[in-house]
Structure formats: C-alpha cells, structure tokens
Amino acid sequence: MIVGTAGHIDHGKTSLVKALTGVDTDRLKEEKARGITIDLGFAYLPMDDGSIVGFVDVPGHERFVHTMVAGASGIDVALLVVAADDGVMPQTREHLAILDLLHVRRGIVALTKSDVATPERLAEVTAQIREVTAGTVLEGADILPVSTVTGEGIEALRERLALEAHTLSERAAEGRFRLAVDRVFTLAGIGVVVTGTVLSGIVRMKDAVVISPSGLKARVRSLHAQNRPMEIGRAGDRCALNLVGEGVSKDAIHRGDMVVDPMLHAPTDRIDARLHLLPGEPKPIGQWFPARLHHGATDVGVRIVLLEDGLLQPGAMADAQLVLERPIAAAVLDRFVLRDVSAQRTIGGGHFIDLRAPSRQRRTDARVAQRAALAIDDPQRAFAALLDAAPCAWDLLSFARDRALSEAWVDEAVAALSPMLFDADEQRIAMTHAHWQRLVSRLIEHLEAFHAAHPDVQGVVREKLRLALQPRLPAAAFALALQHPDLAAHIVRDGGFVRLASHSLQLSPEREAQWRLVAPLIGGELRFRPPRVRDIAGMLRRPEQDVRQLLKFAARLGLVDEVAHDHFFLRTTTHEMVLIATDIAAQAADGRFTAAQFRDRLDNGRKVAIQILEFFDRQGVTLNRGTLRRVQARYLDVFGPVPAAALPHGRESSPVGRPDFKSG
C-alpha cells in the first residue's frame, strides 16, 4: 500500500512521516537548511503481518505543487495533514482538489500539533475540515488528532493505517507493466536506478523494458520493491529498478518518463479527455486555452480544444482535446491535473479517453459515438460498444495497448465477443458478424452498379472500392477481406482492380486480329524489356494512338499491365516478375532486396527495373523502405495464383492457400 501526504506548508507532514516510520524524508541539503520539503520524500513502515506500507511525502509550498501532483499519482491512501493552530489553509484546499481530481478514493485526515490546541480549537478545526471535504473524495474521512512532539495519537494513526493496508485489496496485476519515473540517479558499482510507483502489471529481473516516450530500450538487472530486494514488483509497489542497456544513462532518462512493457511504447501528443473545471475558477475557459498538464510526474504545456458547444463554465465537465507541446507516455483512463500557465493554481483535471485523437473532424457524430464507447471503464464493454461505432472496424491490439491490457485479456475478449478478425500489418482488425455481412452485401451491390454503368471497364480500382464502402476496413485488412470465402465466390481480384466473377470483357474480331500481332512483340525473350507504344507502332506501321487504345483495352481485360506510361507488360510476365522478386527475398537473410538485385535477375536496365518495382509498390506487392524492399505475401496472387512453396516462410496465399482472417 502507498500512502501519500498532502497539506499546507509547515503543517507537519514530514515530521508526521518520521514519527510513524522513523525516517526523515527531507534528504536534500536545501530542505534541511530551509526546513521545508522541496522534492518527493520516501519512507517505509513494516507491518505486523509482514507487509510494507510505503509513504510518499510531498511538498506543501505553492511553488512545488507540481511535485505534489507527481507524488499523489499512484497512491492508494491519502493522508491529509492539517495543523490545529492554522486550520485549513490555501494549499490544504488545493491539495484536496488535486486528490479529488486524481480520484484518490481512500483517505485519513491527521490533525497535527494537537498538543498546542485547546479542545475548543480542535473542535473548530475539525468542523472546518468537515466543511472543506464535503462533496470530495475525503468526505466522511476519519480525523485523528496527533502530536509529533508528545506522541499523542501516533500509535492510533499507525493502527488505522494498518487497518487500511489490511482491508485494501491488491491492485490488479494482470495488465502490462508501467512504472511512472519520479527519480533517476546512479549508484557506484550498480549504475542507473529509476524509482516510481508501478501503475499496472508486474516486472521481473531480466525483463526487457522501454523508456517512453524516448523509446530507449533497457533491461532490468535488479530491483527493489517496497524498499526490499525482490525478484518481482507488482502494481501498487514503489519500485527501484536498476536498468542497463545501450544508451542507458542518468541523462537519458527523465523524471516524468514511463518504464513500460515494450508492447506499450506508443507516445501521444493529442488526447481526447473528460475535463472537469474546478468550481473556484474565476471565469470559464474557451477554445485553445493554454495550461500545464500534470500526468504522473510529467509536466507539459497543453492547449485545450473544447469538443462541445460554448465555454466550459467553472464547476462543469465536458469532453475536450488536449494538444500537447511534446509527446508523453499514457494510458486510457489515466487521471491528469491542469494548472494555469503561471503555475500558481490548479484549475481542473480529469481522465484520458482516447490517446489517438484526430486533429480534424473532432466534433462529428461519429467521434461523439466513439468517445462515448471509449469512455466506458470496463474494457470489454467499451470495445463491444466501439464495434458499433463508425467505421465499425477497430484494431483490437491497439485498443489493448492503449489500456495496458494483457495478451490474456485479448484472448478473453475474442472468446466473449466472437468478432470477425483480420490479422494484417501487426494489427488485429475486428468487426461484428452483422457489420461484416453488411460490408459483403454493399461491396457486391457497388460492383453490380459499377459494371452496369461502365460495362467496358475492367473493374473498380481496389483502393477506390475500399473508400467507397462502409464499414471501412484499413487497406491491409481489406486486402484480406477480399479473399474471405464470403466474397471469393463472387469477385475476382484482377491486377489492381476488383470485379464481379460474372463480369467479363471481350475483344472484338478486329481488335483480336490486332492483338495477335502485338502480343508476340511484348512477349518471348524480350518480355522483361518490351518495346513501348511508340516502338510497337513503328514496327507495325500503325498509328500510335491505335496501338495505345488497343493496349489500354487489353489492360482492362487483364491481358497486360501498364507498368509505366506507354510501357505494357503481359500479365503472365508481370506474374513471373512477382515470383522472381519473391524468390530474391526468400534468399535474403532478412527478406529484403535491392533494385540492383532485381535488375540483375531480369537482365534489365536499372530504369526499367525501378519502374517495375514502383509499380509493385503501388499494387502493394512490395513495400519500399529507402533502398530496400520486401514482399507482402497477402498481395502476391494479385497477378496470378502463387504456389505455397514460392511464398516467404512457407506462408500460403488465397485462393490456393489460407488468408490471415478468422472468426472469433
């Protein structure tokens, strides 16, 4: 259990922690000299049952409220400290507001310096506390008079904390690991150490982790949990991790970073959130209002874009988009606090809804429905609701990542919801069976209407077809969907086009005769470097425009492919070149190849080889990354069936094999 102190400066927070634990949490020289807490302090109290209660002591001075926010994030129980002589003070109210915004739901109030107050004064301050905590997360909390000078009430407070530790259920540890970094330092003979509260999941020695948002990779060499050497740290523990790895140094890791499971590294700088403006604010806020966002130990500038009509009035709550100055590591439903740009007061806070918020069309009906689904606390109900929100096809893996959910949760969600699934490009796109059947029907209807309006056109360009349909699948998932048995019996993928299986074009007798003259010129030994339209026209002594029209029509029939302007290859040659590219990739250790390797296999010129590869890029057959390309197995049969043996890593491709789709 983690206990966090809160309260006004000089109300005795640090002295109280020392009385409870024997540890002076003021560790900095300046703190000793000035007698105030500037940075977070930490102490630990062993309990009779063997458990350890951790204390996070936070500063009370208004200049260090941002540090208080860092300390309050991740605590289980708030220990609000109010001095009997002063009573409720400005930072008492601000700290209480922060605890409220962070939804710290359990708390105790320590009425310190009780030895210098009369019974009447204690009753008066107790009434003040009851009044100020009314309607907050600490409403009805126990108020215990204590004195660090005489020891009065210290043992009673210690017993009360023991009861909290006993009754507090452990935080769920089944999610993926996240630790909010609040300190970074080096120890001689050990190296870099980071400390913080484990927000979710578990961490073990030798685990691979990522420092987010920087993306620095590290490994956990050793760890302490609740101030003890351990082999494992769990959600709710204060942990110290000894990190090693290339580039890992004290200067490379910063307070406010997150140490996370590598699957969770996905920083964001644009977040949709549910925002509550404190009732005490002097005026409402409008569009692009500037503020400072505090999340965990992170402090970053932000602009607020309201997603509902009008201004956000003091005391009101509304959806807003947070546009950050720099990316942060976060999770959906994380709490945050907003302070004004001068860092003089807390103005509001709330929780995150969507870490991948769009910069445009923020207020459409579709976005309203999406946010309503994403705001649901229970992840399975949230994803079920999301599947009914446009575009009705969502990446289950991204959803799980943004909520720090485990692989086991993904499996449970699939079993419970039984959606259609399309695994493509490290995504698992899910949609309901009802929406899938709607997509199948609309696709066939769209093709029927297109063929009726354009009987002499080969088919619809695949990407245009995808964009014309609702529900709308991502491009990679759409390519797999076209191979699903529900569609495969009705449609044909013809190069970059899609047509109904019943639709066909035919050459007229005149064009058939012309084709018999042209086909041999672009096939045979010259098939990898066929003559262009102008050259063919010269060979046949026919008008260039006639040859171009013939080849354009042949392309509609799927007989040829226009790889570059006026440069046509036989479809059989295009298919052969796909298999050659696949073979080159299969022989490469990493599955990547260069244009020069492809050119040499075709015994072709560099310019033509690059034109062919760029054509393959446009069709999705290859993926270009700088000077290297790799083949994408799901597109290899665009120009003809591919034997399973020719596919990389033995993957099969529809229609002769299995596509990467499944039903829940």
Side-chain angles (χ1 to χ4, degrees):
M1 182 177 81
I2 304 296
V3 177
T5 64
H8 195 75
I9 185 173
D10 202 30
H11 275 202
K13 296 186 294 298
T14 301
S15 298
L16 182 59
V17 172
K18 185 176 181 180
L20 289 167
T21 67
V23 176
D24 184 356
T25 58
D26 279 349
R27 55 190 170 80
L28 301 178
K29 187 178 298 185
E30 186 181 356
E31 291 177 330
K32 299 290 187 184
R34 297 172 61 184
I36 64 172
T37 300
I38 296 172
D39 204 348
L40 297 176
F42 306 97
Y44 299 90
L45 175 64
M47 309 304 288
D48 292 339
D49 61 0
S51 64
I52 302 259
V53 174
F55 287 82
V56 180
D57 184 28
V58 307
H61 196 287
E62 65 175 355
R63 288 175 53 197
F64 307 114
V65 170
H66 68 283
T67 306
M68 184 272 165
V69 177
S73 300
I75 68 173
D76 300 300
V77 176
L79 183 57
L80 181 64
V81 178
V82 182
D85 53 352
D86 283 342
V88 173
M89 297 291 282
Q91 262 58 64
T92 310
R93 297 177 183 276
E94 185 165 21
H95 283 205
L96 181 59
I98 291 170
L99 295 174
D100 211 35
L101 292 169
L102 293 176
H103 276 206
V104 179
R105 297 187 180 278
R106 303 174 74 93
I108 304 168
V109 181
L111 186 53
T112 58
K113 304 183 182 182
S114 62
D115 56 307
V116 299
T118 64
E120 292 78 14
R121 177 58 180 169
L122 290 177
E124 180 185 350
V125 176
T126 298
Q128 287 181 4
I129 295 170
R130 291 295 183 206
E131 180 182 359
V132 78
T133 57
T136 73
V137 290
L138 294 189
E139 182 175 16
D142 290 346
I143 302 174
L144 304 181
V146 297
S147 170
T148 59
V149 175
T150 66
E152 176 193 356
I154 297 298
E155 187 57 35
L157 177 57
R158 192 181 287 118
E159 291 176 357
R160 183 67 180 79
L161 290 170
L163 179 62
E164 285 287 341
H166 180 71
T167 58
L168 186 68
S169 59
E170 283 192 2
R171 293 195 199 181
E174 66 269 12
R176 292 191 182 273
F177 171 68
R178 293 196 303 148
L179 177 141
V181 176
D182 51 40
R183 282 199 297 167
V184 187
F185 52 90
T186 57
L187 292 176
I190 294 178
V192 177
V193 177
V194 302
T195 69
T197 300
V198 181
L199 302 180
S200 64
I202 59 176
V203 62
R204 298 180 175 87
M205 291 173 57
K206 300 183 180 181
D207 274 358
V209 294
V210 170
I211 314 302
S212 195
S214 69
L216 180 65
K217 296 179 181 179
R219 181 173 56 83
V220 180
R221 182 158 63 186
S222 62
L223 67 90
H224 279 60
Q226 299 294 80
N227 209 35
R228 291 179 176 178
M230 302 287 283
E231 292 190 359
I232 186 171
R234 298 179 177 276
D237 288 346
R238 274 208 60 82
C239 279
L241 306 181
N242 175 208
L243 301 179
V244 295
E246 184 178 353
V248 173
S249 68
K250 181 176 180 292
D251 294 334
I253 307 174
H254 307 93
R255 181 178 186 153
D257 286 346
M258 290 270 186
V259 183
V260 300
D261 180 309
M263 293 293 291
L264 298 186
H265 174 58
T268 177
D269 61 2
R270 190 179 294 271
I271 305 171
D272 280 356
R274 187 67 47 80
L275 173 61
H276 175 219
L277 189 63
L278 291 178
E281 276 301 284
K283 58 183 179 180
I285 65 174
Q287 295 292 11
W288 294 99
F289 183 85
R292 301 295 299 179
L293 180 139
H294 297 266
H295 165 256
T298 301
D299 173 10
V300 60
V302 64
R303 290 278 184 170
I304 300 170
V305 180
L306 299 178
L307 300 175
E308 300 178 15
D309 292 335
L311 302 175
L312 180 58
Q313 300 293 331
M317 184 180 296
D319 286 352
Q321 186 168 110
L322 309 175
V323 183
L324 282 59
E325 289 181 355
R326 56 179 172 80
I328 65 170
V332 170
L333 303 183
D334 279 358
R335 307 295 305 187
F336 68 92
V337 170
L338 291 177
R339 303 196 80 220
D340 72 317
V341 291
S342 64
Q344 292 185 347
R345 71 182 192 279
T346 299
I347 62 176
H351 63 274
F352 299 146
I353 295 175
D354 185 0
L355 305 185
R356 315 297 154 194
S359 60
R360 303 177 63 185
Q361 298 183 330
R362 304 181 183 99
R363 304 174 69 180
T364 63
D365 291 343
R367 277 302 295 165
V368 171
Q370 291 166 18
R371 283 195 299 272
L374 290 166
I376 297 172
D377 288 352
D378 180 76
Q380 188 170 299
R381 290 197 301 112
F383 194 72
L386 198 59
L387 290 179
D388 277 329
C392 304
W394 297 90
D395 181 13
L396 180 58
L397 301 184
S398 294
F399 177 88
R401 177 200 63 209
D402 285 350
R403 291 194 178 219
L405 301 170
S406 66
E407 187 174 351
W409 180 89
V410 173
D411 293 339
E412 292 170 3
V414 169
L417 301 176
S418 189
M420 291 287 301
L421 294 174
F422 298 96
D423 292 334
D425 284 354
E426 299 181 353
Q427 294 182 318
R428 182 169 295 176
I429 303 300
M431 64 190 310
T432 66
H433 286 268
H435 286 305
W436 165 248
Q437 292 301 326
R438 190 171 296 116
L439 176 64
V440 170
S441 298
R442 289 176 177 175
L443 188 148
I444 293 173
E445 290 171 0
H446 187 87
L447 289 178
E448 287 174 344
F450 182 85
H451 291 325
H454 309 281
D456 58 343
V457 176
Q458 177 183 359
V460 181
V461 175
R462 183 178 59 217
E463 182 62 8
K464 288 185 177 181
L465 178 62
R466 182 184 76 86
L467 296 176
L469 298 173
Q470 289 291 344
R472 180 175 295 170
L473 288 171
F478 186 67
L480 294 176
L482 293 177
Q483 303 173 52
H484 191 279
D486 288 351
L487 281 172
H490 301 282
I491 67 167
V492 173
R493 293 184 300 155
D494 198 352
F497 297 88
V498 180
R499 61 177 174 84
L500 290 175
S502 58
H503 178 71
S504 63
L505 297 177
Q506 293 185 356
L507 291 168
S508 65
E510 180 182 355
R511 281 181 166 170
E512 176 71 27
Q514 294 173 2
W515 173 245
R516 289 176 181 174
L517 296 174
V518 171
L521 298 179
I522 59 176
E525 294 183 1
L526 297 177
R527 65 191 183 281
F528 296 139
R529 49 183 186 279
R532 296 177 182 271
V533 167
R534 180 180 56 197
D535 301 322
I536 296 172
M539 294 175 189
L540 298 178
R541 297 182 180 180
R542 295 188 61 84
E544 186 176 324
Q545 184 61 24
D546 289 354
V547 174
R548 183 177 293 109
Q549 289 179 353
L550 173 66
L551 288 171
K552 292 279 188 182
F553 190 79
R556 296 177 188 173
L557 295 177
L559 299 174
V560 297
D561 294 292
E562 189 173 12
V563 169
H565 176 65
D566 275 1
H567 206 181
F568 293 83
F569 287 67
L570 288 175
R571 170 60 59 83
T572 53
T573 303
T574 306
H575 183 49
E576 184 180 357
M577 293 188 297
V578 169
L579 297 182
I580 290 172
T582 304
D583 184 56
I584 298 171
Q587 295 180 34
D590 60 356
R592 301 173 187 273
F593 64 95
T594 65
Q597 290 173 299
F598 185 67
R599 174 203 63 197
D600 293 344
R601 280 289 296 272
L602 297 185
D603 189 20
N604 211 337
R606 175 176 174 78
K607 179 179 178 181
V608 175
I610 289 177
Q611 287 178 337
I612 296 168
L613 289 173
E614 289 176 345
F615 172 74
F616 286 165
D617 294 342
R618 294 193 296 272
Q619 302 304 318
V621 173
T622 53
L623 188 64
N624 186 16
R625 289 291 182 266
T627 60
L628 296 175
R629 283 177 170 83
R630 65 177 176 86
V631 298
Q632 301 198 90
R634 63 182 174 276
Y635 294 114
L636 293 184
D637 63 340
V638 167
F639 302 104
V642 182
L647 290 165
H649 310 298
R651 283 188 58 181
E652 298 178 358
S653 173
S654 177
V656 295
R658 301 186 307 270
D660 292 335
F661 54 74
K662 55 184 77 72
S663 173

